Amino acid sequence: MRIPKAASNPVSDMQRSRTRKNWLLSAPALVVLAAASSGPLLIVLVYSFLSAGEYGGVVWKFSTDAWFNVVFFRDIFDGTTTFADAHMTILWRSVRLSFITTLITLAAGFPTAYFIATRPRRNRSLWLFLITVPFWTNLLIRTFAILEVIRNEGLINIGLQTLGIIDKPIQMLYTDFAIMVGMTYVYLPLMVLPLYASMERLNFSLVEAAYDLYATRHKVLHRIIIPLVKPGIIAGSILVFIPSLGAFVTPRVLGGGKKMMLGNLIELQFGAGRNWPLGAALSVTLLALVMAALLMYVRTTQRHSGSVR
Amino acid sequence: MVEKQGTGQANTEAPLPAAIYAERVTKAFGEGKKKVLALDDVSLTIEENEFFTLLGPSGCGKTTLLRLIAGFDQPTAGAIMLRDRDISQLPPNQRSVNTVFQDYALFPHMTVAKNISFGLEMLGKPKDYIKKTVGDMLALVKMEELRDRRTDQLSGGQQQRVALARALAPRPQVLLLDEPLSALDYKLRKEMQIELKQLQLETGITFIFVTHDQEEALTMSDRIAVMNAGRILQIGTPRQIYNQPADRFVASFIGRSNFISVEVLSVEGRRARLKLSSGREVISPLPDNWVPRGRVTAVVRPEYAQLVAGSGDEGDLQGVLENIVYLGTDTQYHIRLPDETTFVTRSQNQCQETEAFEDGQSVSVVFKPEAVQVLRS
């Protein structure tokens, strides 16, 4: 009885000092995060409760107008309020396109990650390297490359016309489709890498065991592989969905002025719209959306963590 | 309704064909210069209800042969028959063959019961049949209390039992076991050896067991195939393999051996008269219809030779006692022969016995009848 009691103290002391040391190690990162992230966020939150200055900026007068304007639209002339359709359309487009982008990157990234994970070990790093090659080029340039491909006088339309399959160019640029293609292209590596990480850990003798126990290929995928790489699926989905929701460059270039997403709407308020509080309120809305999505993911992971190692 | 007859049905049938028949199976990995023959023209027959062991050092091709039977790989040449049906090109999920993997390969996201029912679910068995079979299997491997545990909460021995139950649940025609005991500690391994043999007798399923542990092979097997470098060197009962090893590799891989050079004086029927280095003559049985000539190598197991004091004429070999090794159950004597080679004998210890010999003493070795076995190579 006495011995474990005496022994437990030094152990817990050691643990405590180790915890303290780990905190110290993460201090630089925490300082940077606090200064560069929490500070500006706080400013944005404060701005969303102030009044708009006439030529941009803010007037230090408390107001909830900005938040009101996120959801409602007040007519300048007769003062009637209506539901802010334009904002809701943009919000819905952002969520919808981000969701579809996540699904497409998952559908395309899953077999890719599986392919890499099943290559001989020495070849895998080459494949992973190839996946990261697009990151070498600036995002803007990559997006303009897509534009070159899908515009009316672009590669696809000219090609199809030359082959005589179509006589009029298909309008792809400045549509939701264009934004989706762009985002899928840009965010695909962010899906492949975490998927690969969890597939690489997958014990492939489990796959053999399932085949051995009369499972078809389809059953092996659904009963063994997908449940076991779920952490990777979730991580990849978060990494694609969240930046898609706030995407700015891609919808700007490929969606033109008409097909805006939340990021563009926010930019408009801080720029030409000269309504900083509304921009700030929209930013906080976006942040809340991201948090809600994250929370949902965390809850699903927790429910499955009981079954996934 | 038909299913209810179960094992009774199998017994009333005409004699079954061989469980597994491998005909001139070759398996090559790689191409061109890097080509490696993992299996080189291997043929073998494994009977129904047999506990058959593939024994050999790592890289001898035993696991490759097992994977070909399971269907994870296809033979480069030759055919594998399961009860007269060529299964060489069938995928694993279409063969009535199940495997117990070396690392068990239990599904970590399923409970013990779910692991066991997996094969039955994939076969589309009715729910109540699955439930009953899972219960039976849990009872068979004595794991009833742990049915709802996750598999990573089990000890090595328990995981082993679940892997066995999972592979046996679909009642395969052949069960393959790929070194399933190698991850267990010595004591547990000994227990599982007996249990595995018992399980095979109870279920009446053909077991094909792969191991590099000769003791394991001798303990459990009905028959053993000793393999090396992609070939089968000898197939026989544990007794045959131990007492009449076909060649030097088999003799040295299984048990301890003394190799001595002998001269063949004459061969009468299946017996040979041999002259030992000491000049004495012994009669040795010959396997098969092989006729040795001239100088050949013979093997003598340490326990088939007895040590006597003095260098009298009654001994088959004379030498000087170099080392005495006490092993508890028995004692090993290392004797230096006149030709500077070492000969080892072993005798069982009796209770309250004091050591009768001492180092440096002149001794003679007396062979028990048929102790000398001539080797082909």
Side-chain angles (χ1 to χ4, degrees), chain A residues 203 205-206 208-209 211-215 223-224 227-228 306-307 309, chain B residues 67 72 93 95 97-99 103 105-107 109 121-122 150 166:
Chain A
N203 176 3
S205 70
L206 296 178
E208 281 192 344
Y211 275 128
D212 190 57
L213 291 162
Y214 315 106
R223 297 285 301 266
I224 307 296
L228 289 174
S307 54
R309 225 190 304 203
Chain B
R67 289 179 61 84
F72 300 133
N93 55 15
R95 309 177 176 207
V97 173
N98 289 140
T99 309
D103 61 352
L106 297 177
F107 304 130
H109 56 304
E121 283 175 42
M122 293 301 121
R150 288 225 334 257
R166 185 180 71 174

PDB file of all heavy atoms in Angstrom, chain A residues 203 205-206 208-209 211-215 223-224 227-228 306-307 309, chain B residues 67 72 93 95 97-99 103 105-107 109 121-122 150 166:
ATOM      1  N   ASN A 203      -3.341  -1.883 -42.770  1.00  0.00           N
ATOM      2  CA  ASN A 203      -2.695  -3.184 -42.848  1.00  0.00           C
ATOM      3  C   ASN A 203      -3.356  -3.976 -43.982  1.00  0.00           C
ATOM      4  O   ASN A 203      -4.500  -4.400 -43.868  1.00  0.00           O
ATOM      5  CB  ASN A 203      -2.867  -3.888 -41.497  1.00  0.00           C
ATOM      6  CG  ASN A 203      -2.315  -5.274 -41.506  1.00  0.00           C
ATOM      7  OD1 ASN A 203      -1.752  -5.727 -42.497  1.00  0.00           O
ATOM      8  ND2 ASN A 203      -2.472  -5.968 -40.390  1.00  0.00           N
ATOM      9  N   SER A 205      -2.989  -6.837 -45.004  1.00  0.00           N
ATOM     10  CA  SER A 205      -3.379  -8.230 -44.784  1.00  0.00           C
ATOM     11  C   SER A 205      -4.837  -8.296 -44.309  1.00  0.00           C
ATOM     12  O   SER A 205      -5.475  -9.331 -44.417  1.00  0.00           O
ATOM     13  CB  SER A 205      -2.422  -8.949 -43.834  1.00  0.00           C
ATOM     14  OG  SER A 205      -2.546  -8.467 -42.535  1.00  0.00           O
ATOM     15  N   LEU A 206      -5.383  -7.163 -43.831  1.00  0.00           N
ATOM     16  CA  LEU A 206      -6.815  -7.124 -43.510  1.00  0.00           C
ATOM     17  C   LEU A 206      -7.637  -7.256 -44.782  1.00  0.00           C
ATOM     18  O   LEU A 206      -8.690  -7.890 -44.804  1.00  0.00           O
ATOM     19  CB  LEU A 206      -7.177  -5.819 -42.800  1.00  0.00           C
ATOM     20  CG  LEU A 206      -6.548  -5.578 -41.445  1.00  0.00           C
ATOM     21  CD1 LEU A 206      -6.957  -4.218 -40.896  1.00  0.00           C
ATOM     22  CD2 LEU A 206      -6.950  -6.667 -40.480  1.00  0.00           C
ATOM     23  N   GLU A 208      -6.609  -8.773 -47.509  1.00  0.00           N
ATOM     24  CA  GLU A 208      -6.481 -10.174 -47.912  1.00  0.00           C
ATOM     25  C   GLU A 208      -7.385 -11.066 -47.071  1.00  0.00           C
ATOM     26  O   GLU A 208      -8.015 -11.981 -47.592  1.00  0.00           O
ATOM     27  CB  GLU A 208      -5.020 -10.636 -47.768  1.00  0.00           C
ATOM     28  CG  GLU A 208      -4.137 -10.170 -48.907  1.00  0.00           C
ATOM     29  CD  GLU A 208      -2.779 -10.851 -48.912  1.00  0.00           C
ATOM     30  OE1 GLU A 208      -2.397 -11.451 -47.885  1.00  0.00           O
ATOM     31  OE2 GLU A 208      -2.108 -10.775 -49.957  1.00  0.00           O
ATOM     32  N   ALA A 209      -7.422 -10.784 -45.768  1.00  0.00           N
ATOM     33  CA  ALA A 209      -8.261 -11.590 -44.876  1.00  0.00           C
ATOM     34  C   ALA A 209      -9.722 -11.502 -45.300  1.00  0.00           C
ATOM     35  O   ALA A 209     -10.445 -12.497 -45.300  1.00  0.00           O
ATOM     36  CB  ALA A 209      -8.092 -11.126 -43.430  1.00  0.00           C
ATOM     37  N   TYR A 211     -10.907 -10.830 -48.357  1.00  0.00           N
ATOM     38  CA  TYR A 211     -11.062 -11.613 -49.599  1.00  0.00           C
ATOM     39  C   TYR A 211     -11.131 -13.090 -49.269  1.00  0.00           C
ATOM     40  O   TYR A 211     -11.919 -13.841 -49.830  1.00  0.00           O
ATOM     41  CB  TYR A 211      -9.873 -11.379 -50.535  1.00  0.00           C
ATOM     42  CG  TYR A 211      -9.990 -10.181 -51.417  1.00  0.00           C
ATOM     43  CD1 TYR A 211      -8.978  -9.231 -51.476  1.00  0.00           C
ATOM     44  CD2 TYR A 211     -11.118  -9.993 -52.223  1.00  0.00           C
ATOM     45  CE1 TYR A 211      -9.081  -8.127 -52.280  1.00  0.00           C
ATOM     46  CE2 TYR A 211     -11.228  -8.882 -53.033  1.00  0.00           C
ATOM     47  CZ  TYR A 211     -10.206  -7.951 -53.062  1.00  0.00           C
ATOM     48  OH  TYR A 211     -10.307  -6.859 -53.862  1.00  0.00           O
ATOM     49  N   ASP A 212     -10.247 -13.498 -48.348  1.00  0.00           N
ATOM     50  CA  ASP A 212     -10.163 -14.892 -47.967  1.00  0.00           C
ATOM     51  C   ASP A 212     -11.491 -15.361 -47.372  1.00  0.00           C
ATOM     52  O   ASP A 212     -11.884 -16.506 -47.525  1.00  0.00           O
ATOM     53  CB  ASP A 212      -9.039 -15.056 -46.936  1.00  0.00           C
ATOM     54  CG  ASP A 212      -8.718 -16.504 -46.662  1.00  0.00           C
ATOM     55  OD1 ASP A 212      -8.393 -17.217 -47.618  1.00  0.00           O
ATOM     56  OD2 ASP A 212      -8.810 -16.925 -45.495  1.00  0.00           O
ATOM     57  N   LEU A 213     -12.192 -14.434 -46.681  1.00  0.00           N
ATOM     58  CA  LEU A 213     -13.473 -14.766 -46.044  1.00  0.00           C
ATOM     59  C   LEU A 213     -14.634 -14.450 -46.985  1.00  0.00           C
ATOM     60  O   LEU A 213     -15.686 -13.998 -46.557  1.00  0.00           O
ATOM     61  CB  LEU A 213     -13.605 -14.030 -44.715  1.00  0.00           C
ATOM     62  CG  LEU A 213     -12.635 -14.517 -43.630  1.00  0.00           C
ATOM     63  CD1 LEU A 213     -12.500 -13.505 -42.509  1.00  0.00           C
ATOM     64  CD2 LEU A 213     -13.092 -15.857 -43.076  1.00  0.00           C
ATOM     65  N   TYR A 214     -14.406 -14.630 -48.278  1.00  0.00           N
ATOM     66  CA  TYR A 214     -15.461 -14.614 -49.299  1.00  0.00           C
ATOM     67  C   TYR A 214     -16.042 -13.244 -49.610  1.00  0.00           C
ATOM     68  O   TYR A 214     -17.101 -13.139 -50.227  1.00  0.00           O
ATOM     69  CB  TYR A 214     -16.597 -15.586 -48.928  1.00  0.00           C
ATOM     70  CG  TYR A 214     -16.075 -16.918 -48.464  1.00  0.00           C
ATOM     71  CD1 TYR A 214     -16.107 -17.274 -47.119  1.00  0.00           C
ATOM     72  CD2 TYR A 214     -15.505 -17.802 -49.373  1.00  0.00           C
ATOM     73  CE1 TYR A 214     -15.590 -18.491 -46.685  1.00  0.00           C
ATOM     74  CE2 TYR A 214     -14.998 -19.023 -48.959  1.00  0.00           C
ATOM     75  CZ  TYR A 214     -15.034 -19.364 -47.615  1.00  0.00           C
ATOM     76  OH  TYR A 214     -14.524 -20.541 -47.203  1.00  0.00           O
ATOM     77  N   ALA A 215     -15.398 -12.155 -49.172  1.00  0.00           N
ATOM     78  CA  ALA A 215     -15.913 -10.827 -49.489  1.00  0.00           C
ATOM     79  C   ALA A 215     -15.615 -10.506 -50.954  1.00  0.00           C
ATOM     80  O   ALA A 215     -14.568 -10.857 -51.474  1.00  0.00           O
ATOM     81  CB  ALA A 215     -15.265  -9.787 -48.583  1.00  0.00           C
ATOM     82  N   ARG A 223     -16.730  -2.588 -46.230  1.00  0.00           N
ATOM     83  CA  ARG A 223     -16.703  -3.125 -44.867  1.00  0.00           C
ATOM     84  C   ARG A 223     -15.343  -2.988 -44.218  1.00  0.00           C
ATOM     85  O   ARG A 223     -15.231  -2.990 -42.987  1.00  0.00           O
ATOM     86  CB  ARG A 223     -17.128  -4.605 -44.878  1.00  0.00           C
ATOM     87  CG  ARG A 223     -18.552  -4.839 -45.362  1.00  0.00           C
ATOM     88  CD  ARG A 223     -19.567  -4.453 -44.311  1.00  0.00           C
ATOM     89  NE  ARG A 223     -19.387  -5.202 -43.078  1.00  0.00           N
ATOM     90  CZ  ARG A 223     -20.043  -6.322 -42.810  1.00  0.00           C
ATOM     91  NH1 ARG A 223     -20.906  -6.796 -43.647  1.00  0.00           N
ATOM     92  NH2 ARG A 223     -19.824  -6.944 -41.666  1.00  0.00           N
ATOM     93  N   ILE A 224     -14.279  -2.915 -45.030  1.00  0.00           N
ATOM     94  CA  ILE A 224     -12.935  -2.911 -44.435  1.00  0.00           C
ATOM     95  C   ILE A 224     -12.199  -1.590 -44.707  1.00  0.00           C
ATOM     96  O   ILE A 224     -11.830  -0.878 -43.784  1.00  0.00           O
ATOM     97  CB  ILE A 224     -12.091  -4.087 -44.983  1.00  0.00           C
ATOM     98  CG1 ILE A 224     -12.840  -5.405 -44.815  1.00  0.00           C
ATOM     99  CG2 ILE A 224     -10.729  -4.128 -44.301  1.00  0.00           C
ATOM    100  CD1 ILE A 224     -13.109  -5.811 -43.391  1.00  0.00           C
ATOM    101  N   PRO A 227     -14.149   2.022 -43.612  1.00  0.00           N
ATOM    102  CA  PRO A 227     -14.183   2.266 -42.163  1.00  0.00           C
ATOM    103  C   PRO A 227     -12.796   2.518 -41.575  1.00  0.00           C
ATOM    104  O   PRO A 227     -12.656   3.304 -40.647  1.00  0.00           O
ATOM    105  CB  PRO A 227     -14.771   0.966 -41.602  1.00  0.00           C
ATOM    106  CG  PRO A 227     -15.467   0.314 -42.722  1.00  0.00           C
ATOM    107  CD  PRO A 227     -14.781   0.745 -43.978  1.00  0.00           C
ATOM    108  N   LEU A 228     -11.773   1.863 -42.119  1.00  0.00           N
ATOM    109  CA  LEU A 228     -10.446   1.991 -41.518  1.00  0.00           C
ATOM    110  C   LEU A 228      -9.717   3.262 -41.943  1.00  0.00           C
ATOM    111  O   LEU A 228      -8.823   3.724 -41.242  1.00  0.00           O
ATOM    112  CB  LEU A 228      -9.597   0.755 -41.837  1.00  0.00           C
ATOM    113  CG  LEU A 228     -10.044  -0.508 -41.108  1.00  0.00           C
ATOM    114  CD1 LEU A 228      -9.256  -1.710 -41.566  1.00  0.00           C
ATOM    115  CD2 LEU A 228      -9.925  -0.342 -39.601  1.00  0.00           C
ATOM    116  N   GLY A 306     -14.603   5.334 -31.445  1.00  0.00           N
ATOM    117  CA  GLY A 306     -14.779   4.113 -30.673  1.00  0.00           C
ATOM    118  C   GLY A 306     -14.450   2.878 -31.495  1.00  0.00           C
ATOM    119  O   GLY A 306     -14.048   1.861 -30.973  1.00  0.00           O
ATOM    120  N   SER A 307     -14.627   2.997 -32.817  1.00  0.00           N
ATOM    121  CA  SER A 307     -14.419   1.813 -33.644  1.00  0.00           C
ATOM    122  C   SER A 307     -13.168   1.915 -34.495  1.00  0.00           C
ATOM    123  O   SER A 307     -12.707   0.935 -35.044  1.00  0.00           O
ATOM    124  CB  SER A 307     -15.631   1.580 -34.537  1.00  0.00           C
ATOM    125  OG  SER A 307     -15.911   2.748 -35.265  1.00  0.00           O
ATOM    126  N   ARG A 309      -9.181   2.840 -34.748  1.00  0.00           N
ATOM    127  CA  ARG A 309      -8.013   2.970 -33.894  1.00  0.00           C
ATOM    128  C   ARG A 309      -7.428   4.366 -33.923  1.00  0.00           C
ATOM    129  O   ARG A 309      -7.327   4.963 -34.951  1.00  0.00           O
ATOM    130  CB  ARG A 309      -6.945   1.982 -34.320  1.00  0.00           C
ATOM    131  CG  ARG A 309      -6.379   1.305 -33.085  1.00  0.00           C
ATOM    132  CD  ARG A 309      -5.176   0.517 -33.435  1.00  0.00           C
ATOM    133  NE  ARG A 309      -5.534  -0.433 -34.468  1.00  0.00           N
ATOM    134  CZ  ARG A 309      -4.841  -1.543 -34.673  1.00  0.00           C
ATOM    135  NH1 ARG A 309      -3.834  -1.807 -33.918  1.00  0.00           N
ATOM    136  NH2 ARG A 309      -5.143  -2.366 -35.634  1.00  0.00           N
TER     137      ARG A 309
ATOM    138  N   ARG B  67       0.223 -19.279 -49.942  1.00  0.00           N
ATOM    139  CA  ARG B  67      -0.485 -18.173 -50.599  1.00  0.00           C
ATOM    140  C   ARG B  67      -1.069 -18.600 -51.943  1.00  0.00           C
ATOM    141  O   ARG B  67      -2.095 -18.073 -52.367  1.00  0.00           O
ATOM    142  CB  ARG B  67       0.445 -16.970 -50.783  1.00  0.00           C
ATOM    143  CG  ARG B  67       0.782 -16.264 -49.456  1.00  0.00           C
ATOM    144  CD  ARG B  67       1.721 -15.092 -49.675  1.00  0.00           C
ATOM    145  NE  ARG B  67       1.135 -14.073 -50.534  1.00  0.00           N
ATOM    146  CZ  ARG B  67       0.320 -13.122 -50.100  1.00  0.00           C
ATOM    147  NH1 ARG B  67       0.005 -13.055 -48.832  1.00  0.00           N
ATOM    148  NH2 ARG B  67      -0.170 -12.238 -50.944  1.00  0.00           N
ATOM    149  N   PHE B  72      -4.014 -15.902 -53.011  1.00  0.00           N
ATOM    150  CA  PHE B  72      -3.488 -14.531 -53.008  1.00  0.00           C
ATOM    151  C   PHE B  72      -2.495 -14.332 -54.151  1.00  0.00           C
ATOM    152  O   PHE B  72      -2.265 -13.215 -54.589  1.00  0.00           O
ATOM    153  CB  PHE B  72      -2.815 -14.209 -51.677  1.00  0.00           C
ATOM    154  CG  PHE B  72      -3.750 -14.327 -50.507  1.00  0.00           C
ATOM    155  CD1 PHE B  72      -3.369 -15.006 -49.366  1.00  0.00           C
ATOM    156  CD2 PHE B  72      -5.023 -13.769 -50.558  1.00  0.00           C
ATOM    157  CE1 PHE B  72      -4.232 -15.123 -48.293  1.00  0.00           C
ATOM    158  CE2 PHE B  72      -5.888 -13.886 -49.492  1.00  0.00           C
ATOM    159  CZ  PHE B  72      -5.490 -14.571 -48.354  1.00  0.00           C
ATOM    160  N   ASN B  93     -11.834 -15.402 -52.784  1.00  0.00           N
ATOM    161  CA  ASN B  93     -13.213 -15.441 -52.270  1.00  0.00           C
ATOM    162  C   ASN B  93     -14.071 -16.503 -52.951  1.00  0.00           C
ATOM    163  O   ASN B  93     -15.246 -16.630 -52.649  1.00  0.00           O
ATOM    164  CB  ASN B  93     -13.865 -14.052 -52.352  1.00  0.00           C
ATOM    165  CG  ASN B  93     -13.828 -13.480 -53.751  1.00  0.00           C
ATOM    166  OD1 ASN B  93     -13.572 -14.196 -54.726  1.00  0.00           O
ATOM    167  ND2 ASN B  93     -14.079 -12.186 -53.869  1.00  0.00           N
ATOM    168  N   ARG B  95     -12.784 -19.779 -53.146  1.00  0.00           N
ATOM    169  CA  ARG B  95     -12.224 -21.064 -52.742  1.00  0.00           C
ATOM    170  C   ARG B  95     -12.691 -21.369 -51.333  1.00  0.00           C
ATOM    171  O   ARG B  95     -12.663 -20.493 -50.474  1.00  0.00           O
ATOM    172  CB  ARG B  95     -10.698 -21.011 -52.714  1.00  0.00           C
ATOM    173  CG  ARG B  95     -10.086 -20.466 -53.960  1.00  0.00           C
ATOM    174  CD  ARG B  95      -8.592 -20.401 -53.789  1.00  0.00           C
ATOM    175  NE  ARG B  95      -8.005 -19.963 -55.066  1.00  0.00           N
ATOM    176  CZ  ARG B  95      -6.781 -20.261 -55.461  1.00  0.00           C
ATOM    177  NH1 ARG B  95      -6.003 -20.950 -54.674  1.00  0.00           N
ATOM    178  NH2 ARG B  95      -6.335 -19.854 -56.619  1.00  0.00           N
ATOM    179  N   VAL B  97     -11.362 -22.261 -48.841  1.00  0.00           N
ATOM    180  CA  VAL B  97     -10.094 -22.341 -48.118  1.00  0.00           C
ATOM    181  C   VAL B  97     -10.000 -21.086 -47.277  1.00  0.00           C
ATOM    182  O   VAL B  97     -10.204 -19.995 -47.786  1.00  0.00           O
ATOM    183  CB  VAL B  97      -8.910 -22.378 -49.113  1.00  0.00           C
ATOM    184  CG1 VAL B  97      -7.588 -22.299 -48.374  1.00  0.00           C
ATOM    185  CG2 VAL B  97      -8.958 -23.624 -49.973  1.00  0.00           C
ATOM    186  N   ASN B  98      -9.727 -21.214 -45.982  1.00  0.00           N
ATOM    187  CA  ASN B  98      -9.565 -20.021 -45.143  1.00  0.00           C
ATOM    188  C   ASN B  98      -8.191 -20.018 -44.508  1.00  0.00           C
ATOM    189  O   ASN B  98      -7.571 -21.054 -44.350  1.00  0.00           O
ATOM    190  CB  ASN B  98     -10.648 -19.959 -44.055  1.00  0.00           C
ATOM    191  CG  ASN B  98     -12.014 -19.650 -44.651  1.00  0.00           C
ATOM    192  OD1 ASN B  98     -13.014 -20.213 -44.242  1.00  0.00           O
ATOM    193  ND2 ASN B  98     -12.051 -18.792 -45.647  1.00  0.00           N
ATOM    194  N   THR B  99      -7.754 -18.810 -44.154  1.00  0.00           N
ATOM    195  CA  THR B  99      -6.390 -18.648 -43.674  1.00  0.00           C
ATOM    196  C   THR B  99      -6.361 -18.048 -42.271  1.00  0.00           C
ATOM    197  O   THR B  99      -7.129 -17.138 -41.979  1.00  0.00           O
ATOM    198  CB  THR B  99      -5.612 -17.719 -44.631  1.00  0.00           C
ATOM    199  OG1 THR B  99      -5.775 -18.206 -45.962  1.00  0.00           O
ATOM    200  CG2 THR B  99      -4.141 -17.679 -44.284  1.00  0.00           C
ATOM    201  N   ASP B 103      -0.006 -12.462 -38.557  1.00  0.00           N
ATOM    202  CA  ASP B 103      -0.301 -11.351 -37.650  1.00  0.00           C
ATOM    203  C   ASP B 103      -1.788 -11.334 -37.287  1.00  0.00           C
ATOM    204  O   ASP B 103      -2.311 -10.321 -36.854  1.00  0.00           O
ATOM    205  CB  ASP B 103       0.131 -10.016 -38.272  1.00  0.00           C
ATOM    206  CG  ASP B 103      -0.599  -9.723 -39.559  1.00  0.00           C
ATOM    207  OD1 ASP B 103      -1.330 -10.612 -40.046  1.00  0.00           O
ATOM    208  OD2 ASP B 103      -0.466  -8.605 -40.099  1.00  0.00           O
ATOM    209  N   ALA B 105      -4.444 -10.594 -38.517  1.00  0.00           N
ATOM    210  CA  ALA B 105      -5.242  -9.749 -39.409  1.00  0.00           C
ATOM    211  C   ALA B 105      -6.702  -9.672 -38.966  1.00  0.00           C
ATOM    212  O   ALA B 105      -7.613  -9.758 -39.775  1.00  0.00           O
ATOM    213  CB  ALA B 105      -5.139 -10.247 -40.862  1.00  0.00           C
ATOM    214  N   LEU B 106      -6.923  -9.512 -37.662  1.00  0.00           N
ATOM    215  CA  LEU B 106      -8.292  -9.330 -37.177  1.00  0.00           C
ATOM    216  C   LEU B 106      -8.754  -7.926 -37.532  1.00  0.00           C
ATOM    217  O   LEU B 106      -7.960  -6.995 -37.538  1.00  0.00           O
ATOM    218  CB  LEU B 106      -8.346  -9.519 -35.655  1.00  0.00           C
ATOM    219  CG  LEU B 106      -7.965 -10.912 -35.175  1.00  0.00           C
ATOM    220  CD1 LEU B 106      -7.975 -10.953 -33.657  1.00  0.00           C
ATOM    221  CD2 LEU B 106      -8.910 -11.960 -35.729  1.00  0.00           C
ATOM    222  N   PHE B 107     -10.044  -7.779 -37.831  1.00  0.00           N
ATOM    223  CA  PHE B 107     -10.567  -6.467 -38.217  1.00  0.00           C
ATOM    224  C   PHE B 107     -10.666  -5.591 -36.965  1.00  0.00           C
ATOM    225  O   PHE B 107     -11.462  -5.891 -36.070  1.00  0.00           O
ATOM    226  CB  PHE B 107     -11.926  -6.612 -38.890  1.00  0.00           C
ATOM    227  CG  PHE B 107     -11.878  -7.545 -40.075  1.00  0.00           C
ATOM    228  CD1 PHE B 107     -12.780  -8.575 -40.219  1.00  0.00           C
ATOM    229  CD2 PHE B 107     -10.902  -7.390 -41.056  1.00  0.00           C
ATOM    230  CE1 PHE B 107     -12.726  -9.441 -41.304  1.00  0.00           C
ATOM    231  CE2 PHE B 107     -10.827  -8.245 -42.142  1.00  0.00           C
ATOM    232  CZ  PHE B 107     -11.743  -9.275 -42.265  1.00  0.00           C
ATOM    233  N   HIS B 109     -11.906  -2.764 -36.380  1.00  0.00           N
ATOM    234  CA  HIS B 109     -13.114  -1.961 -36.157  1.00  0.00           C
ATOM    235  C   HIS B 109     -14.327  -2.830 -35.869  1.00  0.00           C
ATOM    236  O   HIS B 109     -15.456  -2.352 -35.912  1.00  0.00           O
ATOM    237  CB  HIS B 109     -13.366  -1.061 -37.365  1.00  0.00           C
ATOM    238  CG  HIS B 109     -13.463  -1.813 -38.655  1.00  0.00           C
ATOM    239  ND1 HIS B 109     -12.466  -2.637 -39.105  1.00  0.00           N
ATOM    240  CD2 HIS B 109     -14.443  -1.866 -39.583  1.00  0.00           C
ATOM    241  CE1 HIS B 109     -12.812  -3.165 -40.266  1.00  0.00           C
ATOM    242  NE2 HIS B 109     -14.008  -2.714 -40.577  1.00  0.00           N
ATOM    243  N   GLU B 121     -21.423 -13.953 -43.105  1.00  0.00           N
ATOM    244  CA  GLU B 121     -22.241 -12.885 -43.701  1.00  0.00           C
ATOM    245  C   GLU B 121     -21.934 -12.750 -45.186  1.00  0.00           C
ATOM    246  O   GLU B 121     -22.832 -12.592 -46.005  1.00  0.00           O
ATOM    247  CB  GLU B 121     -21.957 -11.548 -43.008  1.00  0.00           C
ATOM    248  CG  GLU B 121     -22.616 -11.401 -41.656  1.00  0.00           C
ATOM    249  CD  GLU B 121     -22.195 -10.112 -40.978  1.00  0.00           C
ATOM    250  OE1 GLU B 121     -22.133  -9.079 -41.672  1.00  0.00           O
ATOM    251  OE2 GLU B 121     -21.898 -10.156 -39.777  1.00  0.00           O
ATOM    252  N   MET B 122     -20.644 -12.818 -45.521  1.00  0.00           N
ATOM    253  CA  MET B 122     -20.246 -12.673 -46.924  1.00  0.00           C
ATOM    254  C   MET B 122     -20.784 -13.827 -47.763  1.00  0.00           C
ATOM    255  O   MET B 122     -21.076 -13.670 -48.943  1.00  0.00           O
ATOM    256  CB  MET B 122     -18.716 -12.635 -47.040  1.00  0.00           C
ATOM    257  CG  MET B 122     -18.084 -11.406 -46.427  1.00  0.00           C
ATOM    258  SD  MET B 122     -18.675  -9.881 -47.163  1.00  0.00           S
ATOM    259  CE  MET B 122     -19.352  -9.054 -45.740  1.00  0.00           C
ATOM    260  N   ARG B 150     -13.532  -5.442 -28.336  1.00  0.00           N
ATOM    261  CA  ARG B 150     -12.812  -5.073 -29.551  1.00  0.00           C
ATOM    262  C   ARG B 150     -11.539  -5.895 -29.607  1.00  0.00           C
ATOM    263  O   ARG B 150     -10.970  -6.235 -28.574  1.00  0.00           O
ATOM    264  CB  ARG B 150     -12.464  -3.580 -29.522  1.00  0.00           C
ATOM    265  CG  ARG B 150     -13.668  -2.722 -29.722  1.00  0.00           C
ATOM    266  CD  ARG B 150     -13.427  -1.581 -30.710  1.00  0.00           C
ATOM    267  NE  ARG B 150     -12.053  -1.160 -30.805  1.00  0.00           N
ATOM    268  CZ  ARG B 150     -11.578  -0.047 -30.235  1.00  0.00           C
ATOM    269  NH1 ARG B 150     -12.365   0.724 -29.527  1.00  0.00           N
ATOM    270  NH2 ARG B 150     -10.331   0.303 -30.401  1.00  0.00           N
ATOM    271  N   ARG B 166     -12.582 -17.361 -36.564  1.00  0.00           N
ATOM    272  CA  ARG B 166     -13.038 -16.642 -37.750  1.00  0.00           C
ATOM    273  C   ARG B 166     -12.799 -17.472 -39.015  1.00  0.00           C
ATOM    274  O   ARG B 166     -13.638 -17.516 -39.908  1.00  0.00           O
ATOM    275  CB  ARG B 166     -12.291 -15.307 -37.863  1.00  0.00           C
ATOM    276  CG  ARG B 166     -12.778 -14.448 -39.000  1.00  0.00           C
ATOM    277  CD  ARG B 166     -12.020 -13.150 -39.073  1.00  0.00           C
ATOM    278  NE  ARG B 166     -10.645 -13.350 -39.520  1.00  0.00           N
ATOM    279  CZ  ARG B 166      -9.800 -12.348 -39.788  1.00  0.00           C
ATOM    280  NH1 ARG B 166     -10.198 -11.094 -39.614  1.00  0.00           N
ATOM    281  NH2 ARG B 166      -8.587 -12.605 -40.185  1.00  0.00           N
TER     282      ARG B 166
END
